[in-house]
């Protein structure tokens, strides 16, 4: 189950190759606000994806 703070990847291989592993910052309804919590990628904007399009990383 994806929840706030989870590490996720996108199910679309093209998006996954660009974005890589992201953190879920917030969940609203069926959507997750994703971004990066490390300093090297902090300047990238947050993105919103449907939760069903995200794959939980262990």
């Amino acid at each position: 189950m994806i929840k706030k703070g989870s590490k996720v990847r996108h199910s679309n291989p093209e998006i996954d190759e660009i974005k890589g592993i992201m953190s879920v910052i917030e969940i609203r309804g069926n959507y997750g606000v994703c971004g990066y919590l490390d300093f090297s990628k902090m300047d990238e904007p947050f993105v919103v994806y449907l939760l069903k399009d995200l794959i939980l990383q262990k």
Side-chain angles (χ1 to χ4, degrees):
M1 183 170 108
I2 296 174
K3 58 184 180 177
K4 186 176 177 181
S6 295
K7 302 286 187 203
V8 295
R9 296 187 85 106
H10 199 277
S11 60
N12 180 328
E14 294 174 3
I15 296 173
D16 181 53
E17 189 172 325
I18 295 167
K19 294 294 186 178
I21 297 175
M22 302 172 282
S23 296
V24 177
I25 309 300
E26 187 68 44
I27 294 178
R28 295 289 175 157
N30 293 327
Y31 294 91
V33 178
C34 300
Y36 304 98
L37 299 179
D38 58 340
F39 288 109
S40 64
K41 293 186 176 183
M42 275 227 163
D43 59 338
E44 293 194 29
F46 292 140
V47 289
V48 178
Y49 295 116
L50 282 170
L51 291 176
K52 69 177 184 138
D53 293 339
L54 299 175
I55 301 168
L56 183 63
Q57 295 296 292
K58 305 219 186 254

